[in-house]
Amino acid sequence: MNIKKLSPLSPHLQIYKFNLSSFTSIFGRFCGIVSFLSIFLLSWGMIIDNFYMNQFIIVIIDATFLSKNYYIFVFSVFVLFCIVFAGFFYFSTMIRHLLWNFNLLVDLKYSKFLSIFCLIFSLLATLFVIISFLFHLSYFKYLISVI
């Protein structure tokens, strides 16, 4: 009776070893959901933009990215970073799964390499997109100030 009370309900959880490949797979699926929701909301924003004579998106950009409030700007860039990172990470994990479907790079050491590659590629591509966006945003601010 005493042994039953001390035995764990699920013993496999105590011997589970963290695996980067499984984390990448689970996080890639989460990023797929985030990418779907962001594309869904963006498409509805474009539909609403047509009803408001192409002013809705400009109002959103003006209220977030061109805001004088520093915290709103930082939060907007953070949300944009998360959405872009999710898209690139989902793309890179799907390329990884495509390679695995053709039995390429299936070995465990290649699996770890592909997981690290997915993270690094997504981070670098996201930084490139965000930096170019902020550069164009500063140019957009200059154009507004000139007009």
Side-chain angles (χ1 to χ4, degrees), residues 18-36:
F18 177 76
N19 192 355
L20 186 61
S21 180
S22 62
F23 169 76
T24 307
S25 180
I26 294 168
F27 190 62
R29 292 168 195 210
F30 173 74
C31 288
I33 294 169
V34 169
S35 298
F36 170 76

Side-chain angles (χ1 to χ4, degrees), residues 28-105:
R29 292 168 195 210
F30 173 74
C31 288
I33 294 169
V34 169
S35 298
F36 170 76
L37 291 176
S38 62
I39 289 172
F40 180 75
L41 291 175
L42 181 66
S43 62
W44 272 103
M46 290 179 170
I47 291 170
I48 292 171
D49 191 43
N50 283 332
F51 289 119
Y52 288 106
M53 308 214 196
N54 299 331
Q55 296 298 314
F56 182 74
I57 299 291
I58 292 175
V59 168
I60 295 296
I61 289 174
D62 190 36
T64 56
F65 294 110
L66 300 177
S67 175
K68 302 278 189 228
N69 190 342
Y70 176 74
Y71 298 110
I72 292 174
F73 175 75
V74 169
F75 180 73
S76 303
V77 171
F78 176 73
V79 169
L80 182 67
F81 180 85
C82 290
I83 290 171
V84 172
F85 181 81
F88 278 121
F89 192 76
Y90 182 69
F91 173 74
S92 61
T93 55
M94 290 303 108
I95 295 295
R96 181 179 68 141
H97 281 281
L98 186 65
L99 289 172
W100 285 352
N101 286 339
F102 290 110
N103 286 332
L104 299 171
L105 305 174

